[in-house]
Amino acid sequence: MKRLILGDGLLGTALRRQASWDYISRKKDSFDFRDILTYKNLLNGYDEVINCISCTDTYSEERDEHWELNFEGVANLVDECNLHRIKLIHIVTDYIYSHSKVGVTEKDVPVHCANWYTYTKLLGDAYVQLRSRDYLLIRSTHKPEPFPYEEAWVNQIGNFDYVSAISELMIKLISKGSSGIYNVGTKVKTMYELAKRTKVDVKPNFVLADDTTPTNVVMDISKMESELAQS
């Protein structure tokens, strides 16, 4: 099975280091993810494509870049993969569950927080479900390691983890040939608890950045655990 990673950001780099899969990136290969014509030839010969390209500026009020990268670019990639019978592994975010119930499953209704990032990520997620003929959707959050900030939220809780842990779980699902939608994460923790693992002097922060930042994105990860437990 020949696999290609799109993107060399935090997640793309972690996947490449752990799995040694091929990769292309906008920086290395000078393509525009918003224009499928600039990179579709680079997909030739691959059985699976793992899309790690995204606009992740959660606090930006600018619509266009989020729309073009997180929705339009994903839609074009889905159609191209269908044309060449390539399986698409697409990375979403647990932020699409921001206003859903606690412990949300893959079958529950995702209700996103009020920013362009999560809105367009949800649109991309939906398009993959609607149009892709062969896909794996991963809903998750990964953090840089070690924790890079001076403060960490005490009142944000979820299944997030460092990128090394999350990418390891993703690689296991991808390598197993899993399809459909999976919540991917580790045991529930606060962001402060996660930060303390790698930055012992991190300060607790009790005030979220703004009202669009979710406090609780706890997911039900039992589907993932069951899948990975099977031989």
Side-chain angles (χ1 to χ4, degrees):
M1 189 65 66
K2 196 172 181 184
R3 299 183 174 99
L4 177 69
I5 300 168
L6 301 188
D8 61 357
L10 184 63
L11 179 60
T13 299
L15 291 172
R16 176 167 55 89
R17 286 174 178 170
Q18 292 188 41
S20 299
W21 295 329
D22 293 344
Y23 83 103
I24 60 173
S25 70
R26 292 175 286 180
K27 179 172 61 178
K28 178 174 74 72
D29 300 284
S30 301
F31 65 85
D32 185 349
F33 186 66
R34 295 167 295 189
D35 182 0
I36 191 70
L37 296 177
T38 66
Y39 74 95
K40 69 175 187 175
N41 290 339
L42 300 176
L43 309 182
N44 290 343
Y46 289 96
D47 304 294
E48 297 182 352
V49 167
I50 302 102
N51 180 35
C52 300
I53 295 177
S54 179
C55 179
T56 59
D57 189 350
T58 57
Y59 306 115
S60 173
E61 296 181 1
E62 293 297 321
R63 170 190 180 276
D64 291 351
E65 186 175 10
H66 286 100
W67 183 271
E68 292 166 359
L69 289 176
N70 298 346
F71 178 49
E72 286 187 338
V74 172
N76 291 333
L77 178 60
V78 167
D79 296 343
E80 186 68 20
C81 287
N82 283 343
L83 186 63
H84 299 284
R85 297 182 179 179
I86 298 172
K87 182 176 181 177
L88 175 61
I89 293 90
H90 182 58
I91 314 302
V92 198
T93 171
D94 57 9
Y95 271 35
I96 67 170
Y97 290 136
S98 299
H99 295 298
S100 303
K101 66 182 184 180
V102 176
V104 61
T105 73
E106 293 86 350
K107 293 182 179 180
D108 291 321
V109 179
V111 185
H112 65 89
C113 55
N115 57 45
W116 286 113
Y117 167 64
T118 50
Y119 174 61
T120 54
K121 291 295 284 187
L122 182 58
L123 289 178
D125 178 299
Y127 192 90
V128 171
Q129 293 185 62
L130 177 67
R131 300 286 299 187
S132 178
R133 296 172 185 166
D134 191 5
Y135 68 87
L136 170 62
L137 273 172
I138 294 176
R139 295 170 175 171
S140 184
T141 282
H142 54 277
K143 296 298 179 182
E145 184 178 3
F147 194 79
Y149 309 111
E150 295 302 314
E151 298 181 346
W153 291 316
V154 173
N155 55 342
Q156 187 180 57
I157 185 171
N159 305 92
F160 38 70
D161 211 319
Y162 290 116
V163 66
S164 58
I166 296 299
S167 58
E168 182 179 355
L169 293 170
M170 291 180 178
I171 289 169
K172 289 178 179 179
L173 284 174
I174 294 168
S175 299
K176 189 176 176 62
S178 305
S179 297
I181 306 171
Y182 283 86
N183 295 335
V184 171
T186 55
K187 69 177 183 178
V188 174
K189 67 194 76 64
T190 68
M191 189 61 69
Y192 179 70
E193 289 171 332
L194 177 65
K196 288 283 285 184
R197 295 182 190 171
T198 58
K199 189 178 179 65
V200 294
D201 59 345
V202 67
K203 297 179 177 61
N205 187 334
F206 295 87
V207 181
L208 292 180
D210 60 30
D211 59 5
T212 68
T213 303
T215 57
N216 195 318
V217 282
V218 174
M219 305 179 295
D220 184 332
I221 59 172
S222 60
K223 180 181 177 183
M224 176 203 74
E225 292 174 329
S226 177
E227 176 80 350
L228 296 183
Q230 299 175 24
S231 58

